[in-house]
Amino acid sequence: MDIVIPLFRLFEPLDAIGPYELLANVPDARVRFVAPEPGRIADVLGAMRVDVPTRYSEVESCDVLLVPGGAGARLMLDNTEFIDWVRRIHETTRFTTSVCTGALILGAAGLLKGLTATTHWLAMDDLETFGATYTAERVVRHDKIMTSAGVSAGIDLALGLCALLSDELTARAIQLFTEYDPQPPYDSGSLATATPEVVARARELASGG
């Protein structure tokens, strides 16, 4: 079972590493990172470097494609070769998925037109420019296309994928093994629960403030 996660400069680390942690535990699964060019890829936060040996164009098919987000995802929207590759690989997958603003890449590839989809709340308007309808759900599935909301939501998407790729018992075991049992100290993880002050501060942080 071949699971491919493309990385690009300024990717959001948890978008990729969170799902990787869970999916790598699926029996008979192989998770591969690919990139525009082989080498060391830097994340958007600046301290993580991932050595990626494989160029994405070397991959002609896979069972699962998982596209992370981050500032780099927006830059990749202008890379027609990459977008064409996503569209082509989608034809071969069992599941084509995105985390956070990775949904914009699926949108640019024409995969979300006419569908409801989710992404980071700061990118909801951008998502709809590709013909999708934004929904605030944490994970949205349409047949083999799955999108998740921002950053940590990719873990929820990946856990659901674990069941689809194996079975619910295995997915529950992976959840236990990774002790994925969220109990956050604050209830500010979505626009539905965050106060206006929290939303304003989050916007400041997103813009570097």
Side-chain angles (χ1 to χ4, degrees):
M1 187 187 307
D2 191 18
I3 300 172
V4 172
I5 303 176
L7 299 184
F8 33 76
R9 187 174 64 87
L10 304 181
F11 74 95
E12 182 68 43
L14 190 58
D15 287 7
I17 303 304
Y20 165 62
E21 174 71 38
L22 274 68
L23 294 171
N25 284 291
V26 173
D28 301 319
R30 174 182 66 159
V31 182
R32 293 192 287 163
F33 293 112
V34 300
E37 296 293 340
R40 188 165 292 183
I41 307 298
D43 79 305
V44 71
L45 301 178
M48 178 182 289
R49 303 289 189 275
V50 181
D51 286 320
V52 182
T54 306
R55 195 176 191 273
Y56 68 77
S57 60
E58 298 175 32
V59 177
E60 297 182 352
S61 66
C62 64
D63 295 290
V64 178
L65 177 67
L66 187 143
V67 182
R74 294 180 181 274
L75 299 177
M76 294 301 288
L77 295 177
D78 295 325
N79 187 326
T80 56
E81 181 184 358
F82 177 70
I83 298 300
D84 288 344
W85 175 80
V86 169
R87 187 183 300 114
R88 185 169 65 254
I89 290 296
H90 169 67
E91 296 177 359
T92 75
T93 64
R94 290 177 60 189
F95 297 100
T96 299
T97 70
S98 66
V99 180
C100 196
T101 51
L104 302 183
I105 289 174
L106 299 192
L111 306 184
L112 301 181
K113 189 172 183 179
L115 301 180
T116 55
T118 190
T119 186
H120 196 286
W121 58 272
L122 283 169
M124 65 176 78
D125 293 336
D126 298 311
L127 179 67
E128 295 199 332
T129 65
F130 297 109
T133 299
Y134 170 78
T135 176
E137 294 178 61
R138 194 155 172 85
V139 178
V140 178
R141 180 185 175 192
H142 293 283
D143 192 19
K144 73 173 191 174
I145 296 177
M146 300 174 68
T147 56
S148 78
V151 195
S152 65
I155 298 175
D156 292 0
L157 180 146
L159 188 58
L161 265 177
C162 288
L164 292 169
L165 296 172
S166 55
D167 53 67
E168 184 176 324
L169 177 61
T170 300
R172 287 177 176 271
I174 291 171
Q175 181 181 17
L176 176 59
F177 176 73
T178 57
E179 287 200 273
Y180 179 51
D181 184 26
Q183 299 176 36
Y186 308 111
D187 188 17
S188 298
S190 74
L191 289 178
T193 58
T195 65
E197 292 79 10
V198 169
V199 174
R201 181 59 178 143
R203 290 184 183 277
E204 289 176 0
L205 292 172
S207 63

